[in-house]
Amino acid sequence: MSATAPHSSEEYIKHHLTNLTYGQHADGHWGFAHGAGDLAEMGFWSINVDSMLFSIGLGVLFLWAFRKAARTATAGVPGGWQNFVEWVVEFIDDSVRGSFSGKNPLIAPLAMTIFIWVFLMNFMDLIAVDWLPSLAGLMGVGHLKIVPSTDPNITFGLSLTVFAMVLYYSVKMKGVGGFIGELTLMPFQSDNKIVQLLFMPINFLLEGVTLIAKPVSLSLRLFGNMYAGEMIFILIALMYSGGIALGAFGGLLQLGWAIFHILIITLQAFIFMTLTIVYLDMASQAHH
Amino acid sequence: MNFNATLIGQSITFLVFVWFCMKFVWPPIMAALEERKGKIAEGLAAADRGRHEQELAQKKATETLHEAKQQAGEIINRAEKRGSEIIDEARAEAVEEADRIKAAAAAEMEQEVNRAREALRGQVVSIATAGAGRILKRELDASANDELLKDLVARI
């Protein structure tokens, strides 16, 4: 249990689901939030320090490790790490070749960044829920959420960036007119000009929803899965305070859930990557 | 859900990471993979070429061996023929030589016989003369009996 010593289960759960947020308090000074009230008064211009820290840290770890392999990459006999990196690169390259029909040098590196980064962020879920927050508590940090992908800011940050790329490539490949046409001239079509004009708002509504659904579903799927997984880990962790028998049962459950979770974190990272490729492929194609 | 500036921070971080990955991570690895692909293709082609060359060399070696065997056979044949020729020649020569030697020996023998006969004849005459002298107890006048002696010698 952390240094702020939550007393009830409810407090314990709430504590584990609160980010370490830095922002401007109502009285004007900057500092960490200490409760829901603080969060409300900080508004949008505050930042989840823990999410950003772990997210950037894991991203840097990924890029550093892969850069190391890339710098010493040789066409001769590859070393162990280079072998692994090459395996990942070929896997990503295959996925991109399979789903993306055009030629775009951005797609494959983008897909790899998403896959490895999201995987690493999800992987933090497998670290026992109390370890790092307790350590942070000992160092005087009140809240710490170590799984960045359980923070909707992180997942939406990813998906909205992907969405921006979708919009960019839609306009770039089809032109502004082509993109607007795609949004308004389908799926209902008519040869009668007036009827077609009437169909336009309906089409726009339908296609607009489809378009908006892409980033929202992309981020909510990842967030939902990770948040739920984290929640189950927290609930299992609660059992440890319920006596030896319940604690042992909890340990068994945690082991089982962690093993199952390995599948989920990989799968979610893969889904995020694949859908990104597919969305960008749809955006890059001239015909719907 | 509580949205704040983390959203923007994450987006910027994301873009920077993707840029870095696109610039410094992906291309060198892909280049290494492509290079290795090329090397493997080259190696396979070289292996094929080598195998082909080896086949050709083997074929050539077999041909050369065959030719050499044929040549050796010819040489042996020729040598055998020449050998028998030499033997025949030598035999003929030897026979000739033998004949010549035999003839020479025969001639010499005849000569010797004749000479011996002549000598013997002379001796016989002198013996006969001596014998006759003894019988007659006197010295025969050789010249007086010359006619008689010549007749005797011719008879011997």
Side-chain angles (χ1 to χ4, degrees), chain A residues 47 59 66 78 92 98 119 121 123 147 155 172 179-180 188 192 200 203 224 231 271 274 276 279 282:
Chain A
I47 194 153
F66 274 57
I92 305 280
F119 174 78
M121 289 196 285
F123 187 82
V147 192
T155 61
K172 191 186 172 195
F179 185 46
I180 291 174
F188 297 115
N192 189 323
M200 272 186 172
N203 283 341
M231 185 69 99
I271 289 172
T274 307
T276 301
Y279 290 160
M282 284 159 71

Side-chain angles (χ1 to χ4, degrees), chain A residues 20-87:
Chain A
L20 179 66
T21 310
Y22 185 82
Q24 194 175 26
H25 288 277
D27 58 7
H29 84 277
W30 289 78
F32 290 108
H34 292 292
D38 281 353
L39 283 179
E41 67 192 31
M42 279 174 182
F44 183 77
W45 290 108
S46 56
I47 194 153
N48 294 341
V49 178
D50 47 1
S51 292
M52 279 320 296
L53 219 63
F54 280 106
S55 153
I56 292 174
L58 291 169
V60 167
L61 177 73
F62 149 61
L63 288 175
W64 170 77
F66 274 57
R67 172 68 189 153
K68 213 173 100 179
R71 213 177 31 229
T72 55
T74 161
V77 182
W81 177 241
Q82 191 194 335
N83 220 346
F84 174 75
V85 170
E86 279 178 8
W87 173 68

